[in-house]
Amino acid sequence: MPAAPSSLSITRQIVSIVFYTFIAFICIGLPIAVIPGYVHEQLGFSAVVAGVTIGSQYLATLLSRPMAGRMSDNVGTKRAIVLGLAGILISGVLTFIATLLESLPSLSLGILIAGRLLLGVAQGLIGVGTISWCMGAVGAEHTARSISWNGIASYGAIAIGAPLGVVMVADYGYTSLGLALAVLAALGLVLIRNKPSVPVVRGERLPFWAVFGRIAPFGASLCLASIGYGTLTTFITLYYLNRGWAGAAYCLTVFGVCFILSRLVFISAISRFGGFTAAIACMIIETLGLTLLWLAPSTSVALIGAGLTGFGLSLVYPALGVEAIKQVPDSSRGAGLSAYAVFFDLALAIAGPLMGAVALNLGYGWIFFCAALLSVSALALTVLLRRRAY
């Protein structure tokens, strides 16, 4: 009887797969801190339009989730990731073209949004594909670890990509963004060619909407908690500009670093205390962080708020995810992951226009107050779900 794989061996397998998530989110992170400013200042559109431009990517991810889940379950995880990387490459080309047409604001904005829509579809394919690939390779018993390392790869990539994008634009101009996306995606396509995938799981495939119904209560809580992340990533640059502060990209870096450290240090808390308990504790910390961002009198306090928000959000996704995926069979795992991720996508899609409207009417500081209230709502729903489960 072969020996069980060691914890280090399992982690290595997971990291070798979520590497493609890292590439995808570097591509998402590079423009995230500069596109709002480009739309608002270079093209001359309002803060609401800037929010819609960022949010369009997340809306595309949301709408493509059923397709991503079906593809992962039916034709394999590797093929889903390959298509996602190809989508990022084309998105990079469109972004490059959009920045060349700055003198034609409406056309530039239209092409830019088209590129972001394609980037959103690619994000959905790669996000579902990598986690499902990990679970197939190391077993469903390591669901929390698979989701956690995928999150580490994604937020770590954003923490690196956001300030890097600012530096690239300062030194080489906005056109460098699209070129960087295309080159990174091409690199991923080269590296994945000879990597063996896992077999497709055979068995009954539940209809997506049947899976969605089982996942929905957990996803709703995730959505409410995740709007804080969408608010921070979309508006932190304009929030800093409104306050007359510099260094907005470092808020994203602090968020990402705290997020990663929390997952590395406390990931075992999910198996030790249970998904519900871990999620509740993290939502309390997130709410505190968002409140500090709302009240921040200086960049130092804003950085602390961003750090607490990242620390708090770190285990919400895997903690609730462990409880959610228990509701579906292994043969519909991809659909389950897709349905669960829909609610995260929904949070990011609505955060832009919703908080853009709040900023327009009440001021930028109030967007974090509203996000904190939604986090409290997520906390209350999670408490109810735990009571129902036990």
Side-chain angles (χ1 to χ4, degrees):
M1 181 177 180
S6 67
S7 178
L8 181 59
S9 172
I10 291 170
T11 300
R12 283 176 177 168
Q13 287 186 70
I14 293 172
V15 169
S16 73
I17 296 167
V18 302
F19 169 75
Y20 300 102
T21 295
F22 181 80
I23 290 180
F25 275 82
I26 280 280
C27 293
I28 291 168
L30 284 172
I32 204 168
V34 293
I35 288 296
Y38 175 77
V39 172
H40 186 51
E41 296 177 346
Q42 305 299 122
L43 299 183
F45 293 99
S46 69
V48 174
V49 175
V52 170
T53 302
I54 293 293
S56 63
Q57 172 193 327
Y58 305 121
L59 179 62
T61 304
L62 185 156
L63 295 176
S64 67
R65 286 295 187 185
M67 177 269 292
R70 285 195 303 270
M71 182 169 291
S72 180
D73 285 333
N74 295 330
V75 303
T77 55
K78 179 177 177 178
R79 187 173 298 181
I81 295 171
V82 167
L83 287 173
L85 290 170
I88 293 175
L89 195 157
I90 299 171
S91 174
V93 173
L94 290 175
T95 302
F96 174 71
I97 294 172
T99 54
L100 291 178
L101 297 173
E102 186 180 319
S103 60
L104 300 170
S106 296
L107 182 59
S108 176
L109 179 66
I111 296 174
L112 184 63
I113 290 176
R116 296 202 58 81
L117 289 171
L118 197 54
L119 187 61
V121 174
Q123 178 184 341
L125 288 166
I126 294 173
V128 172
T130 50
I131 297 176
S132 188
W133 193 346
C134 287
M135 292 173 65
V138 302
E141 65 271 22
H142 299 293
T143 296
R145 195 185 300 193
S146 298
I147 295 175
S148 293
W149 275 103
N150 198 64
I152 289 171
S154 60
Y155 290 104
I158 288 177
I160 294 169
L164 181 58
V166 172
V167 172
M168 284 172 54
V169 167
D171 291 346
Y172 305 108
Y174 286 102
T175 54
S176 62
L177 291 173
L179 292 174
L181 265 62
V183 169
L184 285 169
L187 174 64
L189 287 169
V190 170
L191 293 176
I192 202 173
R193 283 184 308 167
N194 298 320
K195 186 171 182 61
S197 184
V198 293
V200 174
V201 178
R202 303 300 174 188
E204 180 191 4
R205 309 278 190 226
L206 294 178
F208 179 80
W209 292 111
V211 173
F212 186 88
R214 297 186 185 188
I215 298 294
F218 307 89
S221 182
L222 174 69
C223 177
L224 291 167
S226 300
I227 287 177
Y229 167 64
T231 301
L232 191 151
T233 55
T234 302
F235 289 105
I236 195 65
T237 302
L238 298 178
Y239 173 67
Y240 264 54
L241 287 172
N242 179 257
R243 293 292 184 92
W245 297 340
Y250 293 106
C251 254
L252 292 172
T253 300
V254 169
F255 174 93
V257 168
C258 290
F259 181 99
I260 291 169
L261 287 176
S262 178
R263 283 205 172 176
L264 288 173
V265 175
F266 296 108
I267 185 57
S268 61
I270 296 175
S271 56
R272 180 188 247 180
F273 300 109
F276 290 121
T277 300
I280 288 168
C282 286
M283 287 172 185
I284 293 172
I285 297 172
E286 178 200 356
T287 302
L288 177 59
L290 291 168
T291 303
L292 283 179
L293 281 165
W294 167 46
L295 299 172
S298 65
T299 55
S300 298
V301 177
L303 288 173
I304 294 171
L308 286 173
T309 302
F311 190 93
L313 267 171
S314 61
L315 297 184
V316 171
Y317 197 114
L320 288 174
V322 166
E323 302 296 338
I325 296 302
K326 291 177 182 177
Q327 314 303 314
V328 298
D330 288 346
S331 57
S332 296
R333 183 168 54 213
L337 290 168
S338 294
Y340 182 61
V342 159
F343 291 92
F344 183 72
D345 301 332
L346 178 62
L348 301 189
I350 65 177
L354 174 65
M355 295 306 178
V358 171
L360 198 62
N361 290 283
L362 299 177
Y364 282 98
W366 288 95
I367 61 179
F368 295 110
F369 171 77
C370 292
L373 285 182
L374 293 171
S375 180
V376 171
S377 301
L379 175 61
L381 178 56
T382 304
V383 170
L384 290 175
L385 287 171
R386 183 173 67 172
R387 288 180 180 175
R388 190 183 73 174
Y390 298 111

